[in-house]
Amino acid sequence: MPQVTVTIDGKQYRMACDEGQEEHLMGLAQNFDRYVSHLKDSFGEIGDQRLTVMAGIMVMDELSELQKRMKGMETEIVTLRKTRDDALIKADKNDQALTGALSGLADRMEALAARLAVRKA
């Protein structure tokens, strides 16, 4: 199992990960380090554990907001699909009505043409 060394708040941590996930883990650690650095810049030295907990809560808050947005988008997708399906059903009915009307008109035109042909003869 591969191992990588990540740096968070100036401290190095050796971590194991799945094969091929090294870059991903390092990127996650860099993002988390940004949260920790932001908090440290805002509040100063407040203790590693407290800083880590606060950064974790910030990450969870962001995750929660993203989950809410995703749920809203999923609801919107369902609504859009239903609207699309309803529109397709309506368009199909309109096509059938138009086809029926055109077929009826064609029948009437053929009947009229047949009567005109009989009169000429």
Side-chain angles (χ1 to χ4, degrees):
M1 182 170 268
Q3 291 192 350
V4 294
T5 301
V6 298
T7 303
I8 297 174
D9 193 29
K11 297 169 192 70
Q12 293 189 337
Y13 300 91
R14 195 147 178 79
M15 307 184 106
C17 61
D18 290 332
E19 188 71 39
Q21 293 296 307
E22 298 88 351
E23 291 294 321
H24 181 67
L25 179 57
M26 290 170 60
L28 292 172
Q30 287 173 347
N31 287 340
F32 190 75
D33 185 52
R34 284 192 206 109
Y35 281 95
V36 172
S37 295
H38 170 73
L39 289 169
K40 198 171 189 180
D41 291 343
S42 298
F43 299 106
E45 292 292 333
I46 58 173
D48 290 346
Q49 188 174 14
R50 187 170 178 205
L51 203 58
T52 302
V53 168
M54 289 174 68
I57 288 172
M58 286 178 66
V59 170
M60 293 308 298
D61 181 50
E62 186 174 314
L63 175 63
S64 175
E65 287 300 314
L66 290 172
Q67 287 173 331
K68 285 178 190 174
R69 286 180 57 199
M70 189 171 79
K71 186 167 270 202
M73 289 179 181
E74 287 171 346
T75 300
E76 187 175 345
I77 287 170
V78 167
T79 301
L80 289 171
R81 284 183 177 156
K82 183 176 179 352
T83 302
R84 178 205 59 201
D85 292 345
D86 291 346
L88 288 174
I89 289 169
K90 185 176 180 180
D92 189 43
K93 287 179 182 177
N94 287 342
D95 285 350
Q96 290 174 3
L98 182 59
T99 300
L102 289 174
S103 178
L105 182 60
D107 291 344
R108 287 176 57 199
M109 289 174 69
E110 287 175 8
L112 181 60
R115 282 194 306 196
L116 286 174
V118 170
R119 284 188 186 167
K120 282 187 177 182

